[in-house]
């Protein structure tokens, strides 16, 4: 099934079931008020949502309405935990190679992961509001899963059973703030503002044969200022699959229902597939020419992130955002 959160003016929005073709939706208020409430009692709630989904797809849901992504918040507008991995090691290798740093062998054996801010996510069409272009505004197209309750010490095989939903992510990054933050040894903070998510989150069975081995085997399309700049396949060159990422997260802790785990920037070794973030393009330029020529995003730029199935149908709906300048705050 496909689920969305409609903006009703509250912090957590209102849960809705969305038709497979993304044309109609139906509020799930008679079943669960929010997606988090559904995740908290998934074994009981999910079958009811599934029944509504079948009615909606069959045109038999009496109170259905036209689905409008601009009315959507992130599927989980805020979450108990957001942990983003770096499963596409090719991306990390390019970044390190561009700055002349060696690639530790452990990067191929143990996932990189950071814990991001999860109290305020952006919706699929919300503006990316930043104070300065000089911060190096970049998009990062990713895939993410939402888990149920996951116990500590779980194995990857067991972790697969705890994946409830999948969605797309724009993990907005401020590249020019990253070096100084990492140099302090405590990881990302200011350089990782609010991430944005696709209009809908889908259960793994919606992906059919494209969901295999804990990976999504479909191209992830990034369109920057109307130009397609990347369409790497998310199932190719993913060194650590989602069950492995979840097991890594839960090595020393449990994860609560509603935990979001990201894949990191989707990247293929085949450079002809393009890029899912500007930083990777700049790294390729550095390696080839000794200088990065592609600028980061400017105010007014647009970014679209979407995944199409083999029949050319949108799976999650599209993230479509515009970079805007924050209004200057007046001093007291």
């Amino acid at each position: 099934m496909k689920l969305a959160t409609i903006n009703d003016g509250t912090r957590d929005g209102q849960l809705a079931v969305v038709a497979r073709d993304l044309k109609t939706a139906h509020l799930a208020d008679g079943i669960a008020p929010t997606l988090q409430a559904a995740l908290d009692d998934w074994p009981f709630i999910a079958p009811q949502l599934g029944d509504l989904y079948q009615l909606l797809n069959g045109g038999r849901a009496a109170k259905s309405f036209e689905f409008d992504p601009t009315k959507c918040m992130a599927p989980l507008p805020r979450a108990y935990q957001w942990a983003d991995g770096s499963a596409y090691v090719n991306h990390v290798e390019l970044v390190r190679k561009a700055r002349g740093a060696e690639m530790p062998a452990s990067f191929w054996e143990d996932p990189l992961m950071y814990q991001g801010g999860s109290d305020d996510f952006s919706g699929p069409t919300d503006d990316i509001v930043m104070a300065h272009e000089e911060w190096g505004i970049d998009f990062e197209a990713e895939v993410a899963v939402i888990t149920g309750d996951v116990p500590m010490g779980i194995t990857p095989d067991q972790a697969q059973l705890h994946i409830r939903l999948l969605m797309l992510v724009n993990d907005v990054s401020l590249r020019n703030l990253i070096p100084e933050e990492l140099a302090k040894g405590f990881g990302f903070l200011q350089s990782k503002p609010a991430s944005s998510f696709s209009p809908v989150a889908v259960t793994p069975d919606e992906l059919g044969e494209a969901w295999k081995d804990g990976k999504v085997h479909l191209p992830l399309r990034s369109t920057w200022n109307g130009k397609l700049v990347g369409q790497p396949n998310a199932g190719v060159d993913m060194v650590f699959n989602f069950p492995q990422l979840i097991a890594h997260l839960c090595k020393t802790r449990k994860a609560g229902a509603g935990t979001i785990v990201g894949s990191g920037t989707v990247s293929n070794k085949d450079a002809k597939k393009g890029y899912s973030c500007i930083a990777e393009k700049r790294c390729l330029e550095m390696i080839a020419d000794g200088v990065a020529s592609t600028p980061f995003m400017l105010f007014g730029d647009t970014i679209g992130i979407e995944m199409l199935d083999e029949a050319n149908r949108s799976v999650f709906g599209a993230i479509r955002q515009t970079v805007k300048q924050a209004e200057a705050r007046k001093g007291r």
Side-chain angles (χ1 to χ4, degrees):
M1 59 188 160
K2 299 189 176 187
L3 302 174
T5 293
I6 306 301
N7 190 345
D8 65 352
T10 65
R11 289 180 184 269
D12 299 302
Q14 195 164 16
L15 180 61
V17 176
V18 182
R20 182 171 286 118
D21 61 9
L22 302 178
K23 292 183 179 179
T24 57
H26 195 292
L27 294 179
D29 50 345
I31 302 172
T34 65
L35 180 54
Q36 184 61 54
L39 291 163
D40 286 339
D41 197 12
W42 191 255
F44 178 70
I45 297 296
Q48 299 177 62
L49 294 173
D51 289 343
L52 179 55
Y53 185 60
Q54 294 304 319
L55 290 173
L56 188 61
N57 286 323
R60 293 176 286 116
K63 296 182 180 180
S64 64
F65 54 90
E66 182 179 353
F67 179 60
D68 182 358
T70 67
K71 305 295 185 184
C72 289
M73 305 169 78
L76 276 177
R78 52 180 175 169
Y80 290 114
Q81 183 162 214
W82 159 229
D84 200 15
S86 191
Y88 299 87
V89 183
N90 176 65
H91 171 74
V92 182
E93 189 171 41
L94 286 173
V95 171
R96 295 183 71 87
K97 186 176 181 180
R99 67 171 190 255
E102 290 190 12
M103 182 77 167
S106 63
F107 281 28
W108 295 95
E109 302 162 1
D110 196 39
L112 290 168
M113 185 171 284
Y114 82 92
Q115 193 169 46
S118 61
D119 59 318
D120 181 31
F121 292 135
S122 296
T125 63
D126 290 345
D127 292 333
I128 300 170
V129 181
M130 291 294 143
H132 303 289
E133 293 175 333
E134 292 79 9
W135 287 344
I137 305 165
D138 198 358
F139 63 88
E140 285 193 56
E142 307 183 9
V143 183
V145 298
I146 303 175
T147 75
D149 289 313
V150 187
M152 182 175 69
I154 199 167
T155 67
D157 285 344
Q158 295 167 334
Q160 174 126 354
L161 302 176
H162 295 270
I163 295 174
R164 300 289 186 246
L165 298 160
L166 295 102
M167 52 190 177
L168 303 183
V169 190
N170 180 13
D171 182 39
V172 180
S173 296
L174 303 177
R175 298 297 183 185
N176 294 336
L177 299 186
I178 288 177
E180 289 188 5
E181 283 206 318
L182 293 186
K184 294 178 180 179
F186 257 35
F188 303 119
L189 181 65
Q190 292 173 335
S191 54
K192 290 288 187 177
S195 297
S196 313
F197 292 84
S198 53
V200 301
V202 310
T203 49
D205 60 327
E206 280 294 318
L207 295 166
E209 294 182 359
W211 176 246
K212 183 174 62 176
D213 302 324
K215 306 175 184 179
V216 181
H217 295 263
L218 289 171
L220 182 58
R221 298 167 56 88
S222 295
T223 306
W224 180 18
N225 290 333
K227 178 184 177 182
L228 179 66
V229 295
Q231 49 183 344
N233 192 301
V236 175
D237 301 320
M238 189 181 191
V239 177
F240 306 103
N241 64 17
F242 281 111
Q244 289 172 309
L245 293 175
I246 294 168
H248 177 80
L249 172 66
C250 294
K251 180 178 180 178
T252 60
R253 69 178 74 185
K254 61 183 179 180
T259 291
I260 303 173
V261 180
S263 67
T265 305
V266 176
S267 176
N268 287 172
K269 292 180 180 179
D270 182 1
K272 294 180 182 178
K273 297 296 183 181
Y275 52 92
S276 297
C277 71
I278 301 169
E280 185 165 311
K281 172 65 172 174
R282 288 169 58 90
C283 287
L284 290 169
E285 292 168 347
M286 283 287 294
I287 294 167
D289 307 321
V291 62
S293 56
T294 301
F296 289 116
M297 300 182 82
L298 304 175
F299 297 138
D301 279 9
T302 61
I303 178 63
I305 299 171
E306 191 170 16
M307 183 173 276
L308 306 179
D309 64 16
E310 292 183 352
N312 211 37
R313 298 169 299 197
S314 184
V315 179
F316 303 90
I319 296 172
R320 301 192 191 282
Q321 297 180 278
T322 301
V323 180
K324 296 285 183 69
Q325 184 172 20
E327 294 183 5
R329 291 194 172 187
K330 297 180 180 179
R332 291 186 176 180

